[in-house]
Amino acid sequence: MELIHYSYARVGLMGNPSDGYYGKTISLLISNFFVKLTLIPNHLKENSKISFLKNGDSNNDCDLSFDSLNSLVGISKSKGYNKESCLLQATCKVFSEYCSKNNIDLHNQGFSVHFNTNIPRQVGFAGSSAIITAFWKALMNFYNISDENISLPIQANLILSVEKDELKISAGLQDRVVQVYGGLVYMDFNKDQMIKHGFGIYERLDINSLPKGLWIAYELNPSDSGKIHSDVRKRYERGDQKVIDAMKQLISFTEQARNILIHKNESKRRELAKLMNKNFELRREIFGDQILGQTNLFIIELARKYNFAAKFTGSGGAILGLWNGDDDDSTILTNIEKLKNELEKKEIRFCWLIPQE
Protein backbone atom coordinates (compact mmCIF):
# COMPACT_ATOMS: atom_id res chain seq x y z
CA MET A 1 0.00 0.00 0.00
CA GLU A 2 1.44 3.36 -1.04
CA LEU A 3 2.27 5.87 1.68
CA ILE A 4 1.77 9.45 0.53
CA HIS A 5 3.10 12.39 2.53
CA TYR A 6 3.01 16.11 1.86
CA SER A 7 5.30 18.86 3.09
CA TYR A 8 4.70 22.53 2.43
CA ALA A 9 6.64 25.68 1.62
CA ARG A 10 7.62 27.89 4.53
CA VAL A 11 7.13 31.65 4.87
CA GLY A 12 8.86 33.69 7.58
CA LEU A 13 6.29 36.06 9.06
CA MET A 14 8.50 37.85 11.57
CA GLY A 15 12.00 37.84 13.03
CA ASN A 16 13.99 36.36 10.19
CA PRO A 17 16.94 36.09 9.93
CA SER A 18 17.46 36.05 13.72
CA ASP A 19 16.84 32.28 13.92
CA GLY A 20 20.49 31.62 13.13
CA TYR A 21 21.61 34.01 15.86
CA TYR A 22 19.80 32.70 18.97
CA GLY A 23 16.80 34.82 18.04
CA LYS A 24 13.04 34.39 17.77
CA THR A 25 10.88 33.95 14.69
CA ILE A 26 7.33 33.23 13.60
CA SER A 27 6.83 31.15 10.47
CA LEU A 28 3.94 29.46 8.73
CA LEU A 29 3.34 26.85 6.08
CA ILE A 30 1.47 27.72 2.89
CA SER A 31 -0.48 25.34 0.70
CA ASN A 32 0.39 27.26 -2.49
CA PHE A 33 3.55 25.17 -2.87
CA PHE A 34 4.30 21.66 -1.64
CA VAL A 35 6.11 18.36 -2.00
CA LYS A 36 4.12 15.18 -2.58
CA LEU A 37 6.24 12.14 -1.74
CA THR A 38 5.17 8.55 -2.37
CA LEU A 39 6.78 5.57 -0.63
CA ILE A 40 5.90 2.18 -2.13
CA PRO A 41 6.69 -0.87 0.07
CA ASN A 42 8.18 -3.86 -1.73
CA HIS A 43 5.61 -6.58 -2.46
CA LEU A 44 7.60 -9.18 -0.57
CA LYS A 45 8.50 -8.43 3.04
CA GLU A 46 11.80 -10.26 2.67
CA ASN A 47 12.79 -7.97 -0.23
CA SER A 48 15.00 -5.37 1.49
CA LYS A 49 15.93 -3.40 -1.65
CA ILE A 50 15.62 0.39 -1.46
CA SER A 51 15.14 2.32 -4.72
CA PHE A 52 14.99 6.03 -5.45
CA LEU A 53 12.91 6.55 -8.56
CA LYS A 54 13.20 9.50 -10.88
CA ASN A 55 11.31 12.49 -9.55
CA GLY A 56 7.63 12.26 -10.33
CA ASP A 57 8.03 8.82 -11.92
CA SER A 58 6.37 5.72 -10.48
CA ASN A 59 7.18 3.47 -13.47
CA ASN A 60 10.22 1.83 -11.91
CA ASP A 61 12.57 4.20 -13.74
CA CYS A 62 15.27 4.10 -11.08
CA ASP A 63 17.91 6.71 -10.29
CA LEU A 64 19.63 4.69 -7.58
CA SER A 65 19.11 1.51 -5.55
CA PHE A 66 20.66 -0.35 -2.60
CA ASP A 67 20.34 -3.94 -1.45
CA SER A 68 19.14 -2.84 2.00
CA LEU A 69 19.04 0.06 4.44
CA ASN A 70 22.26 -1.17 6.05
CA SER A 71 23.89 -1.32 2.63
CA LEU A 72 22.80 2.26 1.95
CA VAL A 73 24.37 3.45 5.20
CA GLY A 74 27.62 1.62 4.53
CA ILE A 75 27.96 2.85 0.94
CA SER A 76 27.09 6.41 2.00
CA LYS A 77 29.88 6.34 4.58
CA SER A 78 32.47 4.93 2.20
CA LYS A 79 31.55 6.54 -1.13
CA GLY A 80 29.47 9.59 -0.23
CA TYR A 81 26.21 10.60 -1.87
CA ASN A 82 24.76 10.31 -5.34
CA LYS A 83 24.18 13.83 -6.66
CA GLU A 84 20.69 13.23 -8.04
CA SER A 85 19.31 11.46 -4.96
CA CYS A 86 21.48 12.96 -2.21
CA LEU A 87 18.58 14.40 -0.17
CA LEU A 88 16.79 11.04 -0.02
CA GLN A 89 19.95 9.01 0.50
CA ALA A 90 21.22 11.24 3.32
CA THR A 91 17.78 11.19 4.98
CA CYS A 92 17.84 7.38 5.04
CA LYS A 93 21.33 7.36 6.54
CA VAL A 94 20.50 9.84 9.34
CA PHE A 95 17.22 8.05 10.06
CA SER A 96 18.84 4.61 10.23
CA GLU A 97 21.76 5.72 12.38
CA TYR A 98 19.52 7.54 14.86
CA CYS A 99 17.23 4.52 15.22
CA SER A 100 20.20 2.18 15.68
CA LYS A 101 21.78 4.42 18.30
CA ASN A 102 18.49 4.71 20.22
CA ASN A 103 17.48 1.02 20.03
CA ILE A 104 14.51 1.62 17.73
CA ASP A 105 14.01 -1.61 15.79
CA LEU A 106 13.45 -1.38 12.03
CA HIS A 107 12.01 -4.21 9.95
CA ASN A 108 13.87 -5.41 6.86
CA GLN A 109 11.24 -4.78 4.19
CA GLY A 110 12.45 -2.35 1.53
CA PHE A 111 10.68 0.24 -0.59
CA SER A 112 10.88 2.56 -3.56
CA VAL A 113 10.23 6.28 -3.34
CA HIS A 114 9.59 9.21 -5.65
CA PHE A 115 8.28 12.74 -5.27
CA ASN A 116 6.84 15.74 -7.09
CA THR A 117 7.39 19.33 -6.02
CA ASN A 118 6.14 22.69 -7.24
CA ILE A 119 8.10 24.74 -4.67
CA PRO A 120 10.09 27.42 -6.54
CA ARG A 121 13.85 27.05 -6.11
CA GLN A 122 16.20 29.54 -4.46
CA VAL A 123 13.57 32.03 -3.33
CA GLY A 124 13.48 31.26 0.38
CA PHE A 125 10.53 28.84 0.53
CA ALA A 126 12.52 25.95 2.11
CA GLY A 127 12.07 23.57 -0.82
CA SER A 128 14.93 21.19 0.05
CA SER A 129 13.88 20.77 3.67
CA ALA A 130 10.31 20.13 2.49
CA ILE A 131 11.54 17.13 0.50
CA ILE A 132 13.49 15.79 3.47
CA THR A 133 10.60 16.36 5.88
CA ALA A 134 8.09 14.59 3.64
CA PHE A 135 10.45 11.62 3.34
CA TRP A 136 11.19 11.61 7.07
CA LYS A 137 7.47 11.43 7.86
CA ALA A 138 7.06 8.64 5.32
CA LEU A 139 9.91 6.65 6.89
CA MET A 140 8.40 7.01 10.35
CA ASN A 141 5.07 5.81 8.99
CA PHE A 142 6.64 2.90 7.09
CA TYR A 143 8.60 1.70 10.12
CA ASN A 144 5.70 2.34 12.55
CA ILE A 145 7.55 4.94 14.60
CA SER A 146 5.49 7.55 16.45
CA ASP A 147 6.26 11.09 17.58
CA GLU A 148 6.60 9.64 21.08
CA ASN A 149 9.58 7.59 19.89
CA ILE A 150 11.19 10.55 18.13
CA SER A 151 9.87 13.85 19.47
CA LEU A 152 9.07 16.75 17.15
CA PRO A 153 12.03 18.92 18.30
CA ILE A 154 14.42 16.01 17.73
CA GLN A 155 12.90 15.35 14.30
CA ALA A 156 13.59 18.96 13.31
CA ASN A 157 17.20 18.63 14.51
CA LEU A 158 17.73 15.41 12.58
CA ILE A 159 16.20 16.83 9.41
CA LEU A 160 18.55 19.81 9.72
CA SER A 161 21.51 17.45 10.15
CA VAL A 162 20.70 15.80 6.79
CA GLU A 163 21.61 19.00 4.99
CA LYS A 164 24.00 20.69 7.41
CA ASP A 165 26.10 17.72 8.58
CA GLU A 166 25.74 15.13 5.83
CA LEU A 167 25.56 17.33 2.73
CA LYS A 168 27.42 20.39 4.07
CA ILE A 169 24.63 22.76 3.00
CA SER A 170 24.19 25.97 4.98
CA ALA A 171 20.84 25.71 6.76
CA GLY A 172 19.02 26.64 9.97
CA LEU A 173 16.38 25.19 12.27
CA GLN A 174 13.46 27.52 11.50
CA ASP A 175 12.39 25.82 8.27
CA ARG A 176 12.56 22.31 9.71
CA VAL A 177 10.69 23.23 12.90
CA VAL A 178 7.65 24.69 11.16
CA GLN A 179 7.60 21.89 8.56
CA VAL A 180 7.65 19.27 11.32
CA TYR A 181 5.12 21.00 13.58
CA GLY A 182 2.88 22.35 10.81
CA GLY A 183 0.71 25.45 10.71
CA LEU A 184 1.89 28.68 12.36
CA VAL A 185 4.79 28.38 14.82
CA TYR A 186 6.51 30.77 17.23
CA MET A 187 10.13 29.76 17.79
CA ASP A 188 12.49 30.88 20.54
CA PHE A 189 16.12 29.87 19.92
CA ASN A 190 17.60 31.56 23.01
CA LYS A 191 21.19 30.54 23.69
CA ASP A 192 20.74 28.98 27.14
CA GLN A 193 17.89 26.79 25.89
CA MET A 194 19.81 25.72 22.79
CA ILE A 195 22.98 24.86 24.72
CA LYS A 196 21.13 22.95 27.43
CA HIS A 197 18.63 21.03 25.29
CA GLY A 198 19.90 21.26 21.72
CA PHE A 199 16.65 22.77 20.45
CA GLY A 200 14.50 25.83 21.01
CA ILE A 201 11.12 26.51 22.60
CA TYR A 202 8.40 25.99 20.01
CA GLU A 203 4.75 27.04 20.25
CA ARG A 204 2.01 26.40 17.72
CA LEU A 205 -0.22 29.43 17.25
CA ASP A 206 -3.75 29.53 15.85
CA ILE A 207 -3.31 29.92 12.11
CA ASN A 208 -6.76 31.55 11.96
CA SER A 209 -5.29 34.45 13.94
CA LEU A 210 -3.44 35.61 10.81
CA PRO A 211 -4.87 38.71 9.15
CA LYS A 212 -6.55 38.26 5.79
CA GLY A 213 -4.88 39.52 2.64
CA LEU A 214 -1.31 38.27 2.95
CA TRP A 215 0.37 37.81 -0.42
CA ILE A 216 3.71 36.64 -1.77
CA ALA A 217 5.73 37.69 -4.80
CA TYR A 218 8.88 36.08 -6.14
CA GLU A 219 11.15 36.36 -9.14
CA LEU A 220 10.86 33.59 -11.68
CA ASN A 221 14.59 33.43 -12.41
CA PRO A 222 16.31 33.96 -9.04
CA SER A 223 19.99 34.01 -8.23
CA ASP A 224 21.52 31.86 -5.48
CA SER A 225 19.95 32.92 -2.16
CA GLY A 226 22.81 31.42 -0.13
CA LYS A 227 24.84 34.64 -0.28
CA ILE A 228 22.29 36.52 1.82
CA HIS A 229 23.68 35.49 5.24
CA SER A 230 27.39 35.21 4.52
CA ASP A 231 28.78 38.60 5.54
CA VAL A 232 26.43 39.12 8.49
CA ARG A 233 27.42 35.78 9.98
CA LYS A 234 31.10 36.74 9.99
CA ARG A 235 30.33 40.10 11.56
CA TYR A 236 28.20 38.45 14.22
CA GLU A 237 30.95 36.00 15.09
CA ARG A 238 33.41 38.89 15.35
CA GLY A 239 31.11 40.51 17.92
CA ASP A 240 29.90 43.34 15.67
CA GLN A 241 27.66 45.31 18.05
CA LYS A 242 25.48 46.63 15.23
CA VAL A 243 24.56 43.11 14.16
CA ILE A 244 24.05 41.94 17.75
CA ASP A 245 21.75 44.89 18.49
CA ALA A 246 19.82 44.27 15.26
CA MET A 247 19.17 40.65 16.25
CA LYS A 248 17.86 41.84 19.62
CA GLN A 249 15.48 44.18 17.82
CA LEU A 250 14.27 41.34 15.59
CA ILE A 251 13.55 39.34 18.75
CA SER A 252 11.46 42.25 20.02
CA PHE A 253 9.53 42.44 16.73
CA THR A 254 8.76 38.72 17.00
CA GLU A 255 7.53 39.02 20.58
CA GLN A 256 5.29 41.92 19.59
CA ALA A 257 3.92 39.98 16.62
CA ARG A 258 3.13 36.98 18.84
CA ASN A 259 1.18 39.22 21.23
CA ILE A 260 -0.73 40.72 18.30
CA LEU A 261 -1.66 37.27 17.00
CA ILE A 262 -2.77 35.72 20.30
CA HIS A 263 -4.95 38.66 21.39
CA LYS A 264 -8.11 39.79 19.66
CA ASN A 265 -7.37 43.22 18.30
CA GLU A 266 -9.26 45.24 15.71
CA SER A 267 -6.05 46.90 14.55
CA LYS A 268 -4.17 43.56 14.29
CA ARG A 269 -3.47 43.85 10.57
CA ARG A 270 -2.16 47.42 10.77
CA GLU A 271 0.08 46.63 13.75
CA LEU A 272 1.48 43.54 12.06
CA ALA A 273 2.06 45.49 8.85
CA LYS A 274 4.10 48.09 10.73
CA LEU A 275 6.27 45.36 12.26
CA MET A 276 6.78 43.78 8.84
CA ASN A 277 8.13 47.06 7.51
CA LYS A 278 10.38 47.48 10.53
CA ASN A 279 11.66 43.92 10.10
CA PHE A 280 12.65 44.66 6.51
CA GLU A 281 14.23 48.05 7.25
CA LEU A 282 16.42 46.54 9.94
CA ARG A 283 17.44 43.71 7.65
CA ARG A 284 18.28 46.22 4.94
CA GLU A 285 20.41 48.20 7.37
CA ILE A 286 22.59 45.28 8.43
CA PHE A 287 22.83 43.51 5.04
CA GLY A 288 22.97 46.43 2.63
CA ASP A 289 21.27 46.84 -0.73
CA GLN A 290 23.91 44.97 -2.72
CA ILE A 291 23.35 41.79 -0.74
CA LEU A 292 19.56 42.07 -0.77
CA GLY A 293 19.47 42.40 -4.55
CA GLN A 294 17.86 44.89 -6.91
CA THR A 295 14.89 42.71 -7.82
CA ASN A 296 13.94 42.18 -4.20
CA LEU A 297 14.28 45.89 -3.47
CA PHE A 298 12.14 46.65 -6.51
CA ILE A 299 9.33 44.44 -5.17
CA ILE A 300 9.54 46.04 -1.73
CA GLU A 301 9.52 49.60 -3.08
CA LEU A 302 6.68 48.84 -5.48
CA ALA A 303 4.64 47.29 -2.66
CA ARG A 304 5.08 50.40 -0.54
CA LYS A 305 4.20 52.62 -3.47
CA TYR A 306 0.76 50.98 -3.38
CA ASN A 307 0.51 51.07 0.42
CA PHE A 308 1.49 47.49 1.29
CA ALA A 309 3.88 46.45 4.03
CA ALA A 310 6.52 44.06 2.72
CA LYS A 311 9.44 41.94 3.94
CA PHE A 312 11.47 38.89 2.95
CA THR A 313 9.84 35.48 3.41
CA GLY A 314 13.18 33.82 4.07
CA SER A 315 16.74 34.00 2.81
CA GLY A 316 15.86 35.99 -0.29
CA GLY A 317 14.07 36.04 -3.62
CA ALA A 318 10.52 36.14 -2.29
CA ILE A 319 8.56 38.89 -0.58
CA LEU A 320 5.63 38.75 1.84
CA GLY A 321 3.11 41.60 1.63
CA LEU A 322 0.13 42.91 3.61
CA TRP A 323 -2.20 45.89 3.14
CA ASN A 324 -1.07 48.81 5.26
CA GLY A 325 -4.17 50.99 4.94
CA ASP A 326 -7.60 51.05 6.53
CA ASP A 327 -9.86 48.02 6.17
CA ASP A 328 -12.57 50.04 4.43
CA ASP A 329 -10.19 51.80 2.05
CA SER A 330 -11.76 51.47 -1.41
CA THR A 331 -8.38 51.74 -3.16
CA ILE A 332 -7.11 48.32 -2.03
CA LEU A 333 -8.46 46.36 -5.02
CA THR A 334 -7.26 49.00 -7.47
CA ASN A 335 -3.83 49.02 -5.86
CA ILE A 336 -3.62 45.23 -5.98
CA GLU A 337 -4.28 45.19 -9.71
CA LYS A 338 -1.71 47.92 -10.36
CA LEU A 339 0.85 46.09 -8.24
CA LYS A 340 0.25 42.78 -10.00
CA ASN A 341 0.51 44.35 -13.45
CA GLU A 342 3.81 46.05 -12.69
CA LEU A 343 5.27 42.88 -11.16
CA GLU A 344 4.26 40.75 -14.14
CA LYS A 345 6.09 43.12 -16.49
CA LYS A 346 9.28 42.24 -14.62
CA GLU A 347 8.59 38.47 -14.67
CA ILE A 348 7.72 38.46 -11.00
CA ARG A 349 4.85 36.25 -9.89
CA PHE A 350 2.21 37.50 -7.45
CA CYS A 351 -0.16 35.18 -5.59
CA TRP A 352 -2.37 35.32 -2.51
CA LEU A 353 -0.93 33.38 0.40
CA ILE A 354 -2.99 30.34 1.46
CA PRO A 355 -2.07 29.26 5.03
CA GLN A 356 -1.72 25.52 5.61
CA GLU A 357 -2.83 23.96 8.90
Side-chain angles (χ1 to χ4, degrees):
M1 186 174 179
E2 292 185 351
L3 305 178
I4 298 175
H5 284 263
Y6 290 84
S7 187
Y8 297 88
R10 185 272 304 134
V11 166
L13 180 68
M14 196 65 60
N16 55 304
S18 76
D19 54 305
Y21 306 85
Y22 299 113
K24 297 182 181 182
T25 62
I26 298 174
S27 287
L28 67 143
L29 299 185
I30 61 173
S31 60
N32 304 69
F33 307 113
F34 57 87
V35 172
K36 177 185 178 182
L37 182 138
T38 303
L39 186 152
I40 309 163
N42 294 340
H43 292 302
L44 300 176
K45 289 187 176 181
E46 59 270 23
N47 183 354
S48 61
K49 184 177 181 180
I50 292 175
S51 301
F52 301 137
L53 307 181
K54 290 187 180 297
N55 294 349
D57 184 4
S58 59
N59 297 315
N60 295 320
D61 194 0
C62 186
D63 263 345
L64 188 66
S65 64
F66 300 89
D67 291 336
S68 66
L69 186 58
N70 287 337
S71 173
L72 181 152
V73 172
I75 291 173
S76 299
K77 286 180 177 180
S78 62
K79 297 184 178 181
Y81 294 104
N82 174 272
K83 182 178 180 180
E84 297 300 321
S85 302
C86 62
L87 294 177
L88 302 180
Q89 186 181 346
T91 302
C92 278
K93 177 179 180 289
V94 170
F95 180 86
S96 176
E97 289 183 330
Y98 180 84
C99 291
S100 177
K101 183 178 179 180
N102 290 275
N103 299 314
I104 300 174
D105 292 331
L106 303 179
H107 57 70
N108 293 321
Q109 185 178 7
F111 57 83
S112 59
V113 63
H114 65 90
F115 66 88
N116 290 296
T117 179
N118 67 350
I119 300 177
R121 292 172 55 85
Q122 295 183 345
V123 293
F125 286 144
S128 294
S129 64
I131 295 168
I132 297 168
T133 303
F135 190 29
W136 188 275
K137 294 293 188 181
L139 288 171
M140 289 186 63
N141 189 350
F142 178 63
Y143 289 107
N144 298 312
I145 299 172
S146 71
D147 291 339
E148 293 180 357
N149 299 120
I150 308 177
S151 68
L152 295 181
I154 296 301
Q155 288 182 48
N157 282 6
L158 292 169
I159 289 168
L160 173 62
S161 74
V162 171
E163 290 189 82
K164 188 175 180 180
D165 300 328
E166 296 297 322
L167 302 175
K168 309 304 178 185
I169 298 171
S170 178
L173 264 173
Q174 177 182 204
D175 301 355
R176 289 84 194 160
V177 171
V178 70
Q179 286 171 334
V180 165
Y181 276 74
L184 176 68
V185 183
Y186 167 81
M187 292 163 263
D188 179 353
F189 300 104
N190 81 77
K191 191 171 185 177
D192 290 342
Q193 166 75 19
M194 293 293 293
I195 292 174
K196 184 176 181 180
H197 299 285
F199 50 82
I201 300 169
Y202 311 134
E203 175 189 5
R204 282 203 69 182
L205 304 177
D206 181 5
I207 203 161
N208 295 312
S209 66
L210 288 168
K212 305 298 182 184
L214 287 164
W215 54 261
I216 47 179
Y218 61 94
E219 52 182 324
L220 297 176
N221 298 297
S223 58
D224 180 14
S225 63
K227 65 184 180 183
I228 293 295
H229 292 309
S230 57
D231 183 57
V232 172
R233 167 60 63 185
K234 292 177 182 177
R235 290 161 57 195
Y236 178 83
E237 291 173 351
R238 290 198 304 264
D240 187 317
Q241 196 59 47
K242 184 177 180 179
V243 175
I244 292 171
D245 290 343
M247 295 307 165
K248 290 179 180 178
Q249 284 185 268
L250 290 171
I251 289 173
S252 175
F253 297 161
T254 305
E255 292 170 340
Q256 292 175 60
R258 176 183 176 276
N259 289 333
I260 290 169
L261 291 170
I262 64 177
H263 295 106
K264 292 184 178 180
N265 190 330
E266 291 183 0
S267 60
K268 175 187 296 186
R269 181 186 45 73
R270 287 292 299 274
E271 292 180 14
L272 195 60
K274 289 178 181 178
L275 286 174
M276 287 172 59
N277 279 337
K278 288 180 179 180
N279 197 138
F280 172 76
E281 290 302 333
L282 187 56
R283 183 174 189 147
R284 186 176 193 174
E285 182 180 341
I286 59 174
F287 283 109
D289 288 0
Q290 185 174 2
I291 297 296
L292 297 188
Q294 291 304 309
T295 300
N296 298 323
L297 293 173
F298 168 77
I299 300 173
I300 295 282
E301 291 166 3
L302 191 63
R304 293 190 177 173
K305 173 183 175 181
Y306 292 112
N307 204 23
F308 292 95
K311 65 177 290 295
F312 279 73
T313 63
S315 59
I319 302 300
L320 174 69
L322 180 64
W323 179 243
N324 199 23
D326 296 328
D327 288 335
D328 58 356
D329 192 330
S330 60
T331 65
I332 182 171
L333 294 179
T334 301
N335 285 9
I336 279 288
E337 288 306 313
K338 290 180 179 179
L339 175 64
K340 288 171 63 177
N341 289 336
E342 291 201 45
L343 290 174
E344 288 173 1
K345 290 177 184 178
K346 298 290 186 178
E347 296 188 343
I348 298 168
R349 185 183 176 191
F350 171 100
C351 56
W352 293 107
L353 182 152
I354 307 172
Q356 172 65 36
E357 288 282 358

